[in-house]
Amino acid sequence: MKSFWTKKTKGQIRGKHIWRILASWIITQGVLLGTPAFADNTQKSLTYSQLLEKIKAGEVTEIDAYPSQGIAKVSLEGQKNNEPMYTVNLFEYNPELLDQIRDQKINFEVKRSPDNSAAMGLVFNILIVFVVITVLLTILRRTGQSQGNALNFGKSRARFQMEAKTGILFDDVAGIEEAKEELQEVVTFLKKPEKFTAIGAKIPKGVLLVGPPGTGKTLLAKAIAGEAGVPFFSISGSEFVEMFVGVGASRVRDLFRKAKENAPCIIFIDEIDAVGRQRGAGIGGGNDEREQTLNQLLTEMDGFEGNTGIIIIAATNRPDVLDAALLRPGRFDRQVIVDLPSYNGRLGILEVHARNKKLTSEVSLGAIARRTPGFSGADLANMLNEAAILTARRRKEAITSLEIDDAIDRVTIGLSLAPLLDSKKKRLIAYHEVGHSLLMTLLKNSDPLNKVTIIPRSGGVGGFAQPVLDEGMIDSGLYTRAWLIDRITISLGGRAAEDEIFGPAEVTVGAANDIRSVANLAREMVTRYGMSDLGPVALENPSEEVFLGRGWQSQQSEYSEEVAIKIDHQVRAIAFRCYEEARRIIRENRVLMDRLVDLLIDKETIEGDEFRQIISEYTTLPEKQLSINLPKK
Ligand code: ADP
Ligand code: MG
Ligand code: ZN
């Protein structure tokens, strides 16, 4: 979840980080030079707190800072010109001091050290400029905070973008036809408002696009502006919410002022949940800045008549956390769902993005669409781009299905790395993956194997056994109990193979992900799908991450301790049963296993067809495996 919280912490960390780097530079400088610059005994000194007092009392006339030495030289009132200045040791970070200097209008100068060698001088100059800029920025930020935007920060740093012409049309957006249809109307509002106003209809002000990341919400908003030929103003919710109070609200004001000057137009607010979250809720309580910003947004939305020709489109993937005030009539009262694309949608999106790419004729977009359930539009665009990059790298004329395959793996699993040298580790990984693959091929309800490989991938993946995805099942989401049980058994196949072949003492942590997914799946079977001896009782709501927007107390479980124990028993029973089954199958096919492992170590990758071919020499394959119609590449 992207939110202002994370942003804020990042900012703070970054801030600290800069100071640490600065400090270490200063120390390094000190070590390098090693020259006490002000070694004369005639100097008088003040402590830091004395200095602050003197400034307060108005006795200080001039301060020269020497950041390189971490000191400042100070002249006091009544001090003669030839009298030496007072020396004050500074901290690396002196916000109060700088505040006071500014308040009292004291002559303030940052000086370079008098005894630098020429080479060091350059470094110093850069360093000093850096220090001064950082210090000034810090002061500015603090001022903004303490004096309520006295410097008109929001205005001076307009953070919204304006595009007079987005150049994007509805044709560039595929796969979300219902959303497009609904938004077609908005285009008409913008183009021919008379049509609606003539009969007294009010033009809607706000449309909320709801959907997971990468499904084309931004693209869709741009397409509306493009189709209607109006300017497109955009800002991200997280940009409203800065570290200091008042800036967000003033940005909202600026944005709406600019938009009114350019009406008709579209205002697009991305990630609106960053500002539009329920007020006064969540862990850590409310946040003034965010609430002010949200209030300003609400005020602005009420402040213009529906017919000025400004339509606000906001995007979020968390409509549930939004403040109710945002959703009431007259604000974002229209919600349009932008969901992950289905098969046809994916095909459409692939067609859009294949327009400007050269593909060989054997590449079938339909086959790619079938193999990529769960991909968002952005994933698909990214995947095709990866394939194009690979093609260029391999000096080919056009993208072949080989590059597509590699790109899909790269996007879903990670970059492939150099193969391991033959070793015990490689052998263990091979047994693990063949364990998965064997079960995938021998179990009745399993999706068939697409390929198994022991070429490692980035992110610590040693290899993988990949099923052919059954797009009917994935798109409909109707997984059967038998399928789930087989899925669990397959997931345990890796560990089962390690256990059978190398013994219980040699099993590795490589199975951690498998084990995790087994636990999740088995638990869901028991608590959500009613697929255990506990009966068809839903015991848990779909697990939702605890987010900061709304009460997290309501996340408590809805059953007693006693039931919790029963659930654990059931979950464990499922896992144990599946594990035993996996071990049994592997034990009974030991000879076959050894042969497959030798082949895998030799070839690094075995395609599903070849794998099934070998297995069929030893035993008969289940029906589903025989009848599979692999997407031809
Ligand atoms: P969101 O705003 O929903 O996170 P974006 O609109 O930023 O997603 O999508 C990112 C990119 O992914 C787009 O620029 C486009 O290239 C591609 N994309 C996403 N969805 C679609 C779609 N439905 N049709 C065509 N391209 C899409
Ligand atoms: Mg977006
Ligand atoms: Zn595994």
Side-chain angles (χ1 to χ4, degrees):
M1 171 97 244
K2 277 180 217 143
S3 74
F4 67 94
W5 286 108
T6 46
K7 181 156 178 144
K8 194 165 172 179
T9 351
K10 252 193 243 153
Q12 284 167 346
I13 289 169
R14 206 181 304 130
K16 265 190 199 150
H17 197 63
I18 287 174
W19 287 114
R20 208 171 307 134
I21 291 171
L22 279 182
S24 67
W25 272 19
I26 290 167
I27 292 164
T28 322
Q29 290 295 328
V31 173
L32 278 177
L33 296 171
T35 24
F38 298 93
D40 50 336
N41 296 331
T42 55
Q43 73 179 356
K44 298 179 281 185
S45 62
L46 284 175
T47 65
Y48 186 64
S49 52
Q50 279 170 332
L51 173 64
L52 289 182
E53 271 164 29
K54 299 251 185 230
I55 294 177
K56 248 196 213 125
E59 290 174 38
V60 177
T61 54
E62 192 186 339
I63 300 181
D64 296 345
Y66 295 84
S68 54
Q69 279 103 4
I71 60 162
K73 305 220 112 194
V74 177
S75 298
L76 298 183
E77 223 163 355
Q79 193 174 330
K80 285 181 202 101
N81 260 353
N82 52 2
E83 232 177 282
M85 292 166 90
Y86 289 86
T87 306
V88 183
N89 283 320
L90 297 181
F91 302 110
E92 322 158 13
Y93 182 42
N94 311 284
E96 325 84 331
L97 176 62
L98 292 157
D99 272 357
Q100 294 205 6
I101 289 171
R102 198 180 29 76
D103 286 342
Q104 302 275 347
K105 301 200 175 55
I106 294 165
N107 206 347
F108 177 58
E109 242 183 290
V110 176
K111 301 211 163 177
R112 42 179 282 179
S113 165
D115 56 354
N116 279 334
S117 69
M120 277 303 162
L122 188 64
V123 178
F124 257 100
N125 276 340
I126 295 167
L127 180 67
I128 287 166
V129 169
F130 195 29
V131 170
V132 170
I133 289 173
T134 323
V135 167
L136 284 180
L137 274 180
T138 318
I139 297 173
L140 286 179
R141 293 197 151 216
R142 296 206 157 228
T143 325
Q145 208 158 26
S146 57
Q147 297 178 0
N149 203 26
L151 296 165
N152 215 349
F153 230 68
K155 204 169 170 186
S156 61
R157 282 204 306 177
R159 276 295 194 74
F160 53 85
Q161 285 91 41
M162 180 190 155
E163 286 178 50
K165 287 206 175 62
T166 62
I168 290 170
L169 297 176
F170 273 155
D171 269 353
D172 301 316
V173 187
I176 34 179
E177 301 307 323
E178 296 88 10
K180 256 161 75 176
E181 229 156 77
E182 279 206 66
L183 293 168
Q184 185 66 52
E185 205 181 38
V186 176
V187 175
T188 323
F189 283 140
L190 287 165
K191 270 179 147 168
K192 300 202 178 84
E194 327 80 58
K195 240 174 135 180
F196 297 89
T197 49
I199 49 168
K202 253 203 187 149
I203 292 174
K205 282 180 189 170
V207 179
L208 186 64
L209 302 179
V210 178
T215 45
K217 298 182 292 297
T218 310
L219 196 68
L220 199 54
K222 283 191 177 174
I224 295 169
E227 287 281 341
V230 301
F232 181 77
F233 290 87
S234 67
I235 188 163
S236 169
S238 56
E239 279 168 314
F240 279 138
V241 184
E242 277 284 349
M243 283 173 77
F244 26 98
V245 174
V247 173
S250 95
R251 279 193 187 146
V252 174
R253 270 195 302 276
D254 282 353
L255 176 62
F256 277 81
R257 209 196 52 240
K258 259 274 175 305
K260 276 179 209 158
E261 287 167 11
N262 288 282
C265 67
I266 298 265
I267 295 180
F268 179 65
I269 305 176
D270 210 350
E271 297 175 47
I272 195 167
D273 43 297
V275 261
R277 218 172 268 186
Q278 275 208 328
R279 281 167 290 188
I283 302 165
N287 171 287
D288 274 351
E289 164 62 354
R290 192 163 54 73
E291 289 189 6
Q292 278 193 19
T293 309
L294 176 56
N295 289 337
Q296 187 65 40
L297 185 63
L298 296 175
T299 317
E300 291 287 349
M301 283 190 83
D302 290 341
F304 64 86
E305 276 311 307
N307 300 338
T308 38
I310 301 176
I311 291 185
I312 305 159
I313 301 177
T316 180
N317 52 355
R318 298 303 304 267
D320 51 330
V321 301
L322 292 183
D323 197 287
L326 264 179
L327 304 176
R328 65 142 235 241
R331 287 164 185 163
F332 293 103
D333 47 1
R334 296 200 171 201
Q335 291 199 20
V336 175
I337 308 286
V338 184
D339 217 343
L340 287 173
S342 62
Y343 169 78
N344 284 327
R346 291 194 298 275
L347 185 57
I349 295 169
L350 287 168
E351 274 161 5
V352 167
H353 289 277
R355 268 187 220 151
N356 59 358
K357 298 196 172 59
K358 261 197 227 154
L359 298 158
T360 53
S361 54
E362 40 99 44
V363 174
S364 143
L365 294 182
I368 304 177
R370 211 169 300 130
R371 289 183 51 198
T372 47
F375 272 47
S376 68
D379 292 333
L380 290 169
N382 177 27
M383 186 275 293
L384 276 186
N385 192 46
E386 283 287 336
I389 291 172
L390 281 175
T391 309
R393 195 175 300 154
R394 293 172 187 174
R395 291 169 210 274
K396 292 191 188 171
E397 294 284 301
I399 302 172
T400 73
S401 47
L402 215 64
E403 280 74 42
I404 298 278
D405 269 1
D406 289 350
I408 291 178
D409 286 348
R410 199 164 170 167
V411 171
T412 50
I413 303 163
L415 287 177
S416 61
L417 309 173
L420 294 173
L421 295 176
D422 201 354
S423 62
K424 184 171 174 204
K425 182 176 169 197
K426 187 170 182 177
R427 199 150 269 279
L428 187 125
I429 293 173
Y431 270 106
H432 180 109
E433 299 307 337
V434 168
H436 288 309
S437 315
L438 185 75
L439 294 168
M440 215 179 274
T441 312
L442 290 180
L443 290 172
K444 266 213 313 286
N445 302 288
S446 158
D447 297 330
L449 179 77
N450 181 41
K451 72 171 173 203
V452 50
T453 173
I454 48 168
I455 295 176
R457 300 255 160 186
S458 55
V461 178
F464 56 89
Q466 187 180 53
V468 176
L469 295 169
D470 180 342
E471 91 273 357
M473 194 103 105
I474 289 174
D475 282 344
S476 70
L478 289 178
Y479 301 97
T480 61
R481 175 160 196 241
W483 188 91
L484 290 170
I485 290 282
D486 280 2
R487 181 75 242 160
I488 292 176
T489 315
I490 293 165
S491 296
L492 289 168
R495 165 56 65 85
E498 293 178 24
D499 203 349
E500 276 297 320
I501 283 81
F502 297 90
E506 297 291 311
V507 298
T508 67
V509 297
N513 285 339
D514 297 337
I515 306 266
R516 175 87 288 201
S517 75
V518 165
N520 291 341
L521 211 50
R523 176 161 280 274
E524 291 197 348
M525 285 178 72
V526 177
T527 60
R528 289 180 56 199
Y529 312 138
M531 290 178 177
S532 75
D533 296 346
L534 294 188
V537 189
L539 295 161
E540 255 163 32
N541 291 321
S543 65
E544 269 178 44
E545 53 176 321
V546 176
F547 50 86
L548 298 164
R550 206 172 267 178
W552 54 299
Q553 299 90 333
S554 64
Q555 282 288 316
Q556 277 160 1
S557 52
E558 291 144 28
Y559 42 78
S560 63
E561 276 292 296
E562 196 187 341
V563 175
I565 293 170
K566 281 192 185 150
I567 291 175
D568 282 343
H569 276 298
Q570 292 293 333
V571 170
R572 216 165 308 170
I574 292 176
F576 273 85
R577 240 180 294 144
C578 291
Y579 189 59
E580 280 317 311
E581 175 71 355
R583 283 188 64 162
R584 184 186 62 79
I585 295 176
I586 286 166
R587 207 177 308 130
E588 288 173 4
N589 291 283
R590 181 61 203 265
V591 181
L592 176 54
M593 278 287 280
D594 292 342
R595 172 163 167 207
L596 289 166
V597 164
D598 286 339
L599 184 67
L600 185 58
I601 287 178
D602 187 41
K603 290 182 64 168
E604 324 265 26
T605 301
I606 306 179
E607 296 292 330
D609 284 333
E610 187 179 0
F611 201 87
R612 274 182 289 279
Q613 174 62 40
I614 295 173
I615 292 187
S616 66
E617 292 171 22
Y618 292 75
T619 129
T620 37
L621 294 174
E623 218 170 297
K624 193 170 173 186
Q625 303 278 342
L626 290 172
S627 63
I628 66 151
N629 214 341
L630 280 170
K632 280 292 157 253
K633 293 169 202 153

